Amino acid sequence: MECFIVEKDNIDLEKHELVLAGDEAHHAIRPLRIKTGDPLLATDLSGVCYQCRVERADPGTLTLICSIKEILPNFGESKRNILLIQGMIAQPSRWEFLLEKGTELGVTSIQPVTTERTERESFNRERSERILRASVKQTKRARIPELRELSSFGMALSDAIKDGRRILLLHEAADKSSTLSRSTLTTDEAIAVAIGPEGGFSDSEVEMASKSGAEIVSLGPRRLRAETAAIAALAILIDQ
Ligand code: SAM
C-alpha cells in the first residue's frame, strides 16, 4: 500500500474523509495509477497516519477524495525519542544519505552541529526537507523528523541536558568495554546520541561532554564514516 502526505486542512474527521491534492494527487493518479476503490495510507507528518479507501480520483482537478477507514496514531514511530546530534558532514551527498537513512530507521530529531573539526557550516534546508518528506513516505511513518537549525556542539549539548536526555557520545577511541548496547536502555528514556564529523570530536569536546554527564561509547574496533556511525547507532537505539 502506497503512502502519501495529506495537508492537515484537507482532513475532515467528522465526515471521515480526506483529500489528497497537488503533487501528492498527481503522483498517485499519474505514475502510480491509483484509482477508485484502492487502499492507501496518508500521513499528516505530525504523528497520525490514516488508512483510507479512494472514493473518487479526479485526473482533471488532480484530487483524490478518500474515506478514512482507520486512524493510526504514531504509526511506524519508535517508542524511544532519539535526538541525533550530528557533526556537520562536508559532502552534501553523505549528509543527504544520512537524512534518508535516519528517517527510515525512525530518528525523532536531527540537530546538525559545528564542532572544532567540522569543515562545512551550512546545509541546504529546502533540499534536506524534501529528502525527509520522501523518506517518510517510503518508510510509512506518521511523523517527519524535526530538522533543527545548525548550532554549536556546546549549545546542542546543553539543550540536551536541559531536556533531561541521556547523552551518548560516540567516539572511536572510547574504551571498547563501553560498546553501545541496547540492553542498557529503557523504553521510555529520551536519548541524545552525538556523532562527530569526518575528523571526529576533539579531546576537549569529549572531555567537556563527559564532564557534562555524557557517556562516551564505542561502536567496536573499526573506524566508521560519520554517516555509517549514525546509522549503526540508530539501528541499535531505536525501539520498534
Ligand atoms: N579519527 C576520527 C576520530 O578521532 O574520531 C574518526 C572520525 S569518524 C570518521 C566520525 C565519527 O563517527 C566519530 O567522531 C564518531 O562519533 C563516529 N565513529 C566512527 N567509528 C566509531 C567507532 N568505532 N566507535 C564509536 N564511534 C565511531
Side-chain angles (χ1 to χ4, degrees), residues 85-171:
I85 298 176
Q86 178 68 54
M88 202 54 228
I89 296 175
Q91 213 176 316
S93 60
R94 292 190 186 281
W95 165 246
E96 289 165 9
F97 180 77
L98 166 61
L99 293 177
E100 184 183 86
K101 300 307 158 202
T103 305
E104 285 178 44
L105 287 165
V107 70
T108 317
S109 311
I110 301 168
Q111 170 66 75
V113 292
T114 53
T115 68
E116 282 178 35
R117 297 184 184 155
T118 41
E119 291 170 37
R120 187 183 175 85
E121 304 213 339
S122 66
F123 64 94
N124 183 329
R125 172 163 287 276
E126 208 183 305
R127 209 178 136 77
S128 298
E129 296 278 0
R130 267 207 308 276
I131 289 162
L132 294 177
R133 283 171 73 93
S135 187
V136 164
K137 287 170 65 175
Q138 143 69 32
T139 304
K140 299 183 187 173
R141 57 180 286 193
R143 206 177 284 279
I144 189 163
E146 171 202 14
L147 180 57
R148 300 187 176 175
E149 293 300 334
L150 191 64
S151 90
S152 68
F153 176 55
M155 192 62 86
L157 207 54
S158 58
D159 285 347
I161 294 166
K162 266 188 241 141
D163 290 350
R165 289 179 184 271
R166 177 173 175 184
I167 302 168
L168 305 167
L169 181 141
L170 295 190
H171 192 44

Side-chain angles (χ1 to χ4, degrees), residues 170-172 195-201 217-220 222-224 229:
L170 295 190
H171 192 44
E172 196 192 342
I195 315 278
E198 289 87 339
F201 289 113
V217 290
S218 164
L219 276 173
R222 287 164 296 279
R223 179 174 62 186
L224 309 176

